[in-house]
């Protein structure tokens, strides 16, 4: 299936312009393409089915958008390639080399469980089997002193073993290498001499920080993904260059920036959260265009919902995340909370007879019952069809929806077992789903010390605009924003990023006793490394931006908070004051009389990309004309309401619609409940004002 939407003049402009920017987001079902014309600022999108070889899908999507590779001045790409490789464990054979006595660190982990109370649940095994975790004699103490030099004879014997096994990638993980990388670097030199074609990841380079499990785990993830990412990046670059594209292929990483394909091979694990980061970036941009510095991204698709938070223009970042529990990847990543709630999530009854929703999903095959592809279990999509919130088709008619099949699934699976009417059962299904998603938003906001009432909710994804207004009402969020193309918003995020590297080093010391000059010199060293990386990627000096952070904690704690600081460092006092305030917000307490410890210094090195302006329409009073009417059941009333239907492509800037209303478009449906006013802003974002009950 191929589709294009929104601005028809923009499509023509983009097809013939000599300067277009293209962003691509490869998902499990569809590959989404956003095309921005630099001259006009207009954008259009294309959507094609994801292919077995994702490179084919990318090129098909670009062609479907009417773009010649010779006309592209920028190509930015978000992909699930690395994530899927970890989930399916389809990666080349790898070897891990450890200090003797430490090869089981990644198997012992932290001794925790995803479900603390399920003692029978088996943890997934390490990405590298024990037989492939080899050891060598060496030792460095906690302060970085070389206690035992690397045994080079043993090292060369290991190289011979690795060669016999036909291994293509190696992770070198020595204890205390963060304090002194000498032994790891010598091991790498020996492997490069003996095995010049093998990819090598050293823990002292990938993540030079204390806590060996986290450092080893991140390095292992990087090592096993390096051949996968490297092969993909090289193949895509060659195919696009053959078609006439002359610039770098940029790949989106977890921290919200992009890397060239060559750099991505070296830091491959950074791509393990590529796609969800793009959605968070796009939601922030859409909110800022509408005048909101505080926003919550709500991305609801067919299987899952991703929630992110932007506070005062800054997306929350975490260094504690994973694809599989127990195997952390500690590169900085935009914090996105994912739950199993989507349009295809199943409604089911537990052993006590209570109604549940998800995380099981009907997926795309067979899909919800209303798809008429063999699915029989009730889903959120079926409930929305029964309530009239969805009509007879999706994706511009590409997917037909059979209401009678939806009614049968809801009746059999929910209504009859619970003794409810069909409408009551469908309403209950949606309310349970909304409650699950509202809890996720509370976790990323209230649990972090933020009040949802101070934020706008950006609802996107194919199903987000269906549920956005109801969630906002439950959470007392006053404003809901629906992007122009909700279903391809993640692809849009790939157009809005800069080249970015995050570099850190351990720096343990009492905050009131450390020498600011030493802190300043350390920051300068980190910035020099960042400058070198950006220079290798062709970023000119005037487009380089460096941001400094000091990770601090109360003495005796092991979790730290990152505090931004300015250059040059003259004193640590201001940073300590900020730390106390942030700790109070994050954890609901602060101890201004307690000693504060510096844990880590880090620098975010950014190569600023020239930003094209999006087209801004002049709002004019416009009376929208319904394209039809349908009976719709809203949360506000159990009785169906005759509701006007609108085609979003026909709603220019300045349009105001009073709910109830349903607004259809190619990639999503927006529900405007009774009493809610929706208006279209100059960037064609729908802004819904939610009337809230007085407290």
């Amino acid at each position: 299936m191929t589709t294009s939407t929104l601005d028809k003049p923009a499509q023509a402009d983009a097809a013939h312009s000599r300067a277009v920017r293209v962003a691509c987001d490869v998902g499990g079902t569809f590959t989404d393409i956003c095309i921005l014309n630099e001259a006009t600022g207009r954008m259009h999108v294309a959507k094609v089915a994801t292919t077995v070889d994702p490179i084919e899908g990318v090129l098909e999507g670009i062609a479907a958008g009417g773009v010649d590779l010779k006309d592209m001045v920028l190509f930015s790409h978000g992909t699930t390639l690395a994530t899927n490789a970890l989930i399916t464990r389809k990666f080349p054979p790898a070897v891990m080399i450890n200090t003797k006595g430490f090869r089981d660190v990644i198997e012992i982990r932290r001794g925790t469980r995803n479900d603390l109370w399920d003692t029978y649940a088996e943890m997934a095994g390490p990405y590298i089997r024990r037989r492939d975790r080899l050891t060598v004699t060496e030792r460095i103490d906690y302060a970085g002193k070389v206690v035992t030099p690397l045994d080079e004879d043993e090292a060369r014997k290991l190289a011979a073993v690795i060669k016999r096994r036909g291994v293509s990638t190696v992770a070198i993980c020595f204890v205390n290498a963060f304090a002194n990388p000498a032994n790891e670097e010598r091991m790498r030199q020996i492997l490069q001499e003996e095995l010049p074609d093998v990819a090598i990841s050293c823990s002292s380079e990938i993540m030079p920080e204390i806590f060996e499990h986290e450092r080893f785990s991140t390095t292992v993830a990087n090592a096993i993904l390096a051949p996968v990412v490297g092969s993909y990046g090289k193949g895509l670059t060659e195919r696009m260059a053959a078609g006439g594209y002359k610039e770098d292929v940029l790949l989106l990483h977890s921290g919200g920036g992009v890397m060239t394909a060559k750099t991505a091979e070296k830091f491959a694990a950074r791509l393990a959260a590529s796609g969800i980061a793009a959605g968070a970036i796009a939601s922030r941009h859409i909110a800022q265009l509408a005048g909101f510095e505080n926003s919550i991204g709500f991305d609801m698709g067919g299987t899952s919902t991703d929630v992110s938070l932007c506070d005062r223009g800054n997306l929350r970042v975490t260094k504690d995340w994973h694809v599989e529990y127990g195997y952390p990847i500690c590169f900085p990543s935009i914090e996105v909370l994912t739950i199993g709630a989507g349009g295809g999530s199943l409604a089911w009854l537990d052993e006590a007879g209570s109604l549940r929703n998800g995380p099981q999903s009907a997926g795309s095959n067979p899909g919800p019952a209303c798809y008429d592809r063999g699915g029989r279990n009730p889903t959120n999509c079926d409930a929305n069809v029964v309530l009239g919130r969805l009509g007879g088709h999706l994706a511009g008619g590409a997917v037909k929806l059979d209401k009678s099949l939806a009614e049968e699934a809801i009746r059999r699976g929910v209504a009859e077992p619970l003794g409810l009417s069909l409408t009551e059962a469908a309403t209950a299904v949606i309310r349970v789903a909304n409650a699950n998603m509202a809890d996720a938003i509370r976790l990323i906001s209230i649990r972090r010390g933020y009040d949802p009432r101070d934020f706008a909710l950006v609802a996107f994804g194919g199903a987000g605009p269906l549920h956005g207004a109801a969630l906002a009402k439950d959470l007392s969020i006053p404003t809901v924003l629906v992007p122009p193309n909700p279903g391809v918003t993640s692809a849009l995020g790939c157009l809005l990023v800069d080249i970015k590297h995050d570099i850190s080093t351990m720096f343990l010391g009492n905050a009131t006793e450390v020498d600011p000059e030493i802190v300043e010199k350390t920051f300068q060293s980190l910035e020099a490394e960042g400058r070198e990386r950006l220079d290798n990627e062709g970023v000119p000096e005037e487009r380089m931006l460096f941001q400094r952070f000091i990770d601090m904690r109360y003495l005796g704690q092991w979790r730290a908070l990152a505090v931004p600081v300015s250059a040059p460092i003259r004193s640590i006092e201001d940073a300590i004051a900020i730390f106390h305030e942030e700790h109070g917000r994050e954890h609901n307490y602060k101890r201004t009389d307690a000693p504060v410890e510096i844990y880590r210094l880090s620098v975010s090195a950014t190569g600023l990309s020239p930003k094209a302006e999006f087209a801004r329409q002049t709002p004019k009073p416009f009376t929208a004309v319904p394209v039809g009417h349908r009976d719709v059941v809203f949360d506000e009333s159990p009785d169906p309401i005759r509701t006007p239907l609108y085609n979003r492509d026909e709603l220019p800037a300045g349009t105001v619609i009073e709910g109830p209303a349903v607004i259809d478009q190619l990639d999503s449906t927006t529900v405007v409940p009774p009493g809610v006013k929706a208006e279209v802003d100059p960037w064609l974002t729908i802004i819904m004002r939610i009337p809230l009950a007085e407290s």
Side-chain angles (χ1 to χ4, degrees), residues 20 34 38 219 286 294 380 422 438 461 468 519 591 601 682:
V20 293
C34 273
E38 281 201 329
T219 306
I286 289 159
N294 290 354
N380 293 332
L422 189 62
V519 175
R591 297 176 54 198
L601 304 182

Side-chain angles (χ1 to χ4, degrees), residues 269-320:
R270 297 219 66 178
L271 266 63
S274 173
I276 58 177
I281 293 165
S283 69
R284 174 181 63 180
H285 180 76
I286 289 159
Q288 289 178 329
L289 285 178
F292 297 91
E293 287 295 309
N294 290 354
S295 60
I296 295 172
F298 168 60
D299 179 5
M300 183 180 180
T303 303
S304 63
T305 291
D306 299 323
V307 182
S308 60
L309 185 140
C310 175
D311 173 46
R312 291 167 289 182
N314 298 309
L315 289 163
R316 280 186 59 88
V317 174
T318 180
K319 291 187 178 181
D320 183 15

Side-chain angles (χ1 to χ4, degrees), residues 7 9-10 13-14 35-44 613-615:
D7 200 336
D13 286 341
I35 302 158
L36 179 68
N37 183 295
E38 281 201 329
T40 65
R42 300 191 182 202
M43 185 181 73
H44 78 283
E613 295 291 333
F614 291 89

